[in-house]
Amino acid sequence: MSEDSIPTFSADVLEGIADVLGATAGGLTGSEIDTHLGRAKVRDVAPGMNKRKRLFNALAARQNRDRVGNCVVAFIASAMAPVRFRNEPAEFARLQSELDEVLIHAGLRITDEGKVGRAKAGKATTLNQAAEHAGTILTELRRRNTHPDLMRYCTLELLQKNNFHALLEAAKSIPDRIRALTGLTNDGAALVDDTLTNASGPVLAINDGLTATDHSEQSGFANLTKGLLGLYRNPTAHDPKLHRDVTDTELVDALTAMSMVHQRLDDAVVKP
């Protein structure tokens, strides 16, 4: 992207950039913000504030003074220089993806060289367009508010665009969560039977279990959980990647269903 007279960024886009690069977890450190502000020749106007506010105020003040957005582009280019991530390529991919979600609202994106470039799809004006234009599964999953306990298992594989192993790791999250809640150690369908459909009453109950509707819901939840494990964990665990093609659509749909299981487990009650 040319350095000549870059249009100013809106306050919302600036705030989004600051949210990504100034995040408490996964963002730049305070000293890194100092370094990259210095390289972009931007003065830190609010050094006592938290990282997000420091970054937003510094970039906004310089942009308002210059009446162009060049300082913002320079800061991003410094912070996203690929050489900084030579030992953590997945971290570059994560920040690139998160910045793309913000910059697409200005018709921009982060190139593989870590610079700000024009987005081929143009400017997004809605969240649906942003998810589509940013073009990453992570973008869509974040838009769907996918459960964080699920995302912990497969974010690295998603960043690597490895659908096969992302699906496998995501499927592992369900039995792991059930074991953590109940203290049991078995696996698969046996674990689901022992915890969700135990003959003497469920160990892990998703409702009060007082009515026929409650019993039907509990049974349906157990069948759904077993079905997801049988459909997605067992085949991917046993089949070579060469023989198992996982499309983007299948992956998003499967992770959405698994996220629903985690959401119901959030309110489940462990019974003695």
Side-chain angles (χ1 to χ4, degrees):
M1 186 173 185
S2 172
E3 289 293 318
D4 296 336
S5 188
I6 296 167
T8 58
F9 292 84
S10 70
D12 288 339
V13 171
L14 270 185
E15 186 175 2
I17 293 168
D19 284 346
V20 173
L21 294 179
T24 302
L28 301 171
T29 66
S31 61
E32 287 172 337
I33 288 175
D34 289 339
T35 297
H36 300 303
L37 285 176
R39 289 176 180 170
K41 300 180 180 178
V42 176
R43 187 169 69 89
D44 189 352
V45 297
M49 292 187 173
N50 65 42
K51 293 188 295 178
R52 287 184 176 91
K53 291 181 178 178
R54 279 182 62 200
L55 192 48
F56 174 82
N57 287 335
L59 295 175
R62 178 61 189 268
Q63 179 177 256
N64 290 341
R65 191 196 80 177
D66 296 346
R67 298 183 182 276
V68 291
N70 296 56
C71 65
V72 180
V73 170
F75 179 85
I76 292 173
S78 178
M80 292 296 293
V83 67
R84 295 188 57 242
F85 303 92
R86 59 193 179 278
N87 296 321
E88 296 179 298
E91 185 66 9
F92 176 87
R94 180 186 68 81
L95 288 172
Q96 182 185 35
S97 173
E98 293 184 13
L99 285 170
D100 279 351
E101 292 178 39
V102 175
L103 291 172
I104 193 63
H105 291 281
L108 303 171
R109 66 182 181 90
I110 301 296
T111 69
D112 290 342
E113 292 75 34
K115 300 182 182 299
V116 177
R118 298 290 180 191
K120 292 180 180 179
K123 181 179 179 180
T125 58
T126 68
L127 292 177
N128 284 342
Q129 287 178 348
E132 180 181 352
H133 292 350
T136 70
I137 292 175
L138 270 173
T139 302
E140 177 61 19
L141 292 172
R142 279 194 285 265
R143 189 182 71 85
R144 295 188 183 199
N145 197 29
T146 304
H147 199 284
D149 282 353
L150 173 65
M151 296 303 294
R152 287 192 302 110
Y153 281 76
C154 59
T155 294
L156 178 60
E157 288 74 20
L158 290 170
L159 287 169
Q160 295 170 338
K161 296 180 171 54
N162 187 337
N163 289 6
F164 178 89
H165 286 106
L167 185 56
L168 175 59
E169 294 304 314
K172 292 177 183 178
S173 70
I174 295 175
D176 272 9
R177 181 95 186 277
I178 293 174
R179 284 191 289 265
L181 288 169
T182 63
L184 297 180
T185 58
N186 52 350
D187 196 16
L191 176 65
V192 175
D193 288 338
D194 288 348
T195 56
L196 296 177
T197 58
N198 192 294
S200 59
V203 175
L204 198 56
I206 64 168
N207 55 42
D208 295 331
L210 300 177
T211 67
T213 298
D214 287 345
H215 294 311
S216 178
E217 182 183 43
Q218 181 79 30
S219 176
F221 181 70
N223 288 332
L224 170 65
T225 303
K226 283 198 290 187
L228 286 171
L229 295 180
L231 184 60
Y232 294 116
R233 193 187 73 160
N234 295 344
T236 52
H238 297 146
D239 290 348
K241 181 179 177 182
L242 178 65
H243 300 147
R244 184 77 165 90
D245 182 31
V246 179
T247 66
D248 289 355
T249 299
E250 180 184 8
L251 181 61
V252 171
D253 288 346
L255 266 57
T256 300
M258 293 177 197
S259 177
M260 183 182 69
V261 171
H262 279 284
Q263 288 164 3
R264 294 306 301 266
L265 289 174
D266 285 343
D267 298 321
V269 175
V270 180
K271 296 187 175 183

